[in-house]
Amino acid sequence: MKPLKPGENPNRPPHEPLIHSRHNPRFREVRALIERRREREEKGAFVAEGIRLCEEVLKAGWRPQYVLYHGLLGERGQQLVEQFRTLGVPIHMVTQELIETLAGTETPQGILCVLPMHHLPFPEQWDFLLVLDGIKDPGNAGTLLRTAWAAGVHAVITTPGTTDLFAPKVVRAAMGAHFHLPIHKFNWEEITTLARQRVPEPARIFLAEAQGGTPYWQCNLRQPLLLVVGSEAEGPSPEAQRYADEWITIPMPGESESLNAAIAAAILLFEVVRQRQTL
């Protein structure tokens, strides 16, 4: 009997490739997609790592280009592999050592999907959008996506200068939001046109600002709107300040100058939810 490679599963189908070299083209491609934004944009693909995210891929009906896993997966992970295999997705077993070099977590779960970077279509009917204006921190960006999904935002827009929303850290922090939320890149002229030309009535652009705006509970958030959240470090861009219809503020009686961008957005997004559920 041929000896098994480290981490190899003896139940692996004989036709299924085993990757055990760092020079393997698939391995090198995945590493490049994880490490480089340009590679993701040129290939039109990104990586989702871990059991929870791969389960969300299946729930949302997304089809991976291929799946990598190692043979020491537990039962939950093996069931995922079988589901992908049944769907005809190309499956590649990877030695544990190699897949751990790809992992972005301290305790890698041993499975990842390479997914096409197709964007869900922008909704024809909408009244609740989130605009990420120059958000730089990947963890914040991912948390913003996850919160937007939870709050029922119809789509997320990113402006030039925002971090890559398909980077691994963003994807992990978003916890599956990528597979359910339309995410689109617009410049500010496109954003204002979108707001002004909305039918049957225009949408109002609210800009989150640490100071000087209207307290959020005094704003009418039942109307169609775009909520703009700027960089925590740099604040809203000059374009956001120029095109906003109204500045909205979270009053802070303490001495802190500002809130974390994701936390501030969560407060404002769920104020929209509260107002719209209180008629």
Side-chain angles (χ1 to χ4, degrees):
M1 179 181 294
K2 184 178 178 180
L4 298 177
K5 301 286 185 182
E8 185 174 359
N9 187 334
N11 297 318
R12 175 176 61 91
H15 63 276
E16 193 171 281
L18 170 67
I19 297 174
H20 56 84
S21 169
R22 293 173 184 264
H23 301 293
N24 180 280
R26 282 288 195 220
F27 176 83
R28 296 176 67 176
E29 180 179 59
V30 173
R31 185 167 61 185
L33 289 173
I34 289 172
E35 294 177 351
R36 295 195 290 274
R37 179 175 188 164
R38 177 178 293 182
E39 193 78 15
R40 292 189 288 272
E41 292 174 346
E42 290 179 354
K43 294 288 180 65
F46 69 105
V47 176
E49 177 198 344
I51 290 174
R52 171 72 182 276
L53 279 179
C54 291
E55 288 175 340
E56 285 294 336
V57 169
L58 282 171
K59 288 179 185 177
W62 280 43
R63 183 183 176 87
Q65 295 178 352
Y66 55 91
V67 172
L68 268 58
Y69 78 106
H70 74 63
L72 300 181
L73 277 174
E75 182 179 355
R76 184 177 167 192
Q78 291 288 354
Q79 288 175 352
L80 264 177
V81 171
E82 288 304 318
Q83 288 178 281
F84 285 125
R85 189 180 282 128
T86 300
L87 293 172
V89 175
I91 306 292
H92 303 271
M93 180 177 283
V94 183
T95 62
Q96 184 177 6
E97 177 187 1
L98 284 186
I99 207 165
E100 286 179 352
T101 67
L102 297 173
T105 59
E106 293 183 2
T107 55
Q109 296 180 343
I111 184 170
L112 59 82
C113 297
V114 175
L115 296 152
M117 198 186 289
H118 66 74
H119 298 270
L120 297 175
F122 199 88
E124 293 184 8
Q125 300 294 323
W126 59 268
D127 63 11
F128 188 12
L129 304 181
L130 175 65
V131 180
L132 306 188
D133 179 44
I135 298 291
K136 299 291 194 300
D137 181 80
N140 266 347
T143 302
L144 282 159
L145 292 178
R146 182 180 182 183
T147 306
W149 178 27
V153 166
H154 295 140
V156 172
I157 295 171
T158 70
T159 66
T162 300
T163 190
D164 177 15
L165 294 192
F166 291 88
K169 189 172 181 180
V170 180
V171 175
R172 286 196 302 274
M175 295 294 287
H178 288 79
F179 314 129
H180 301 274
L181 267 179
I183 300 170
H184 292 264
K185 296 179 183 179
F186 291 160
N187 61 39
W188 271 102
E189 289 186 2
E190 293 169 328
I191 291 170
T192 53
T193 299
L194 179 73
R196 307 296 180 248
Q197 294 184 356
R198 181 191 177 276
V199 291
E201 61 177 307
R204 194 164 179 82
I205 299 175
F206 286 91
L207 174 61
E209 178 57 290
Q211 299 176 354
T214 304
Y216 68 90
W217 56 76
Q218 295 179 11
C219 296
N220 175 13
L221 304 178
R222 295 185 178 91
Q223 61 190 311
L225 62 86
L226 296 84
L227 174 65
V228 182
V229 178
S231 165
E232 180 181 341
E234 301 172 7
S237 67
E239 292 83 1
Q241 297 180 53
R242 183 181 312 129
Y243 291 116
D245 296 307
E246 186 170 349
W247 290 20
I248 183 170
T249 295
I250 301 170
M252 295 178 289
E255 297 181 358
S256 176
E257 293 183 359
S258 65
L259 289 171
N260 171 278
I263 291 176
I267 293 170
L268 299 176
L269 290 172
F270 280 94
E271 175 64 11
V272 177
V273 174
R274 187 195 68 80
Q275 288 192 21
R276 292 182 179 192
Q277 292 181 347
T278 307
L279 300 179

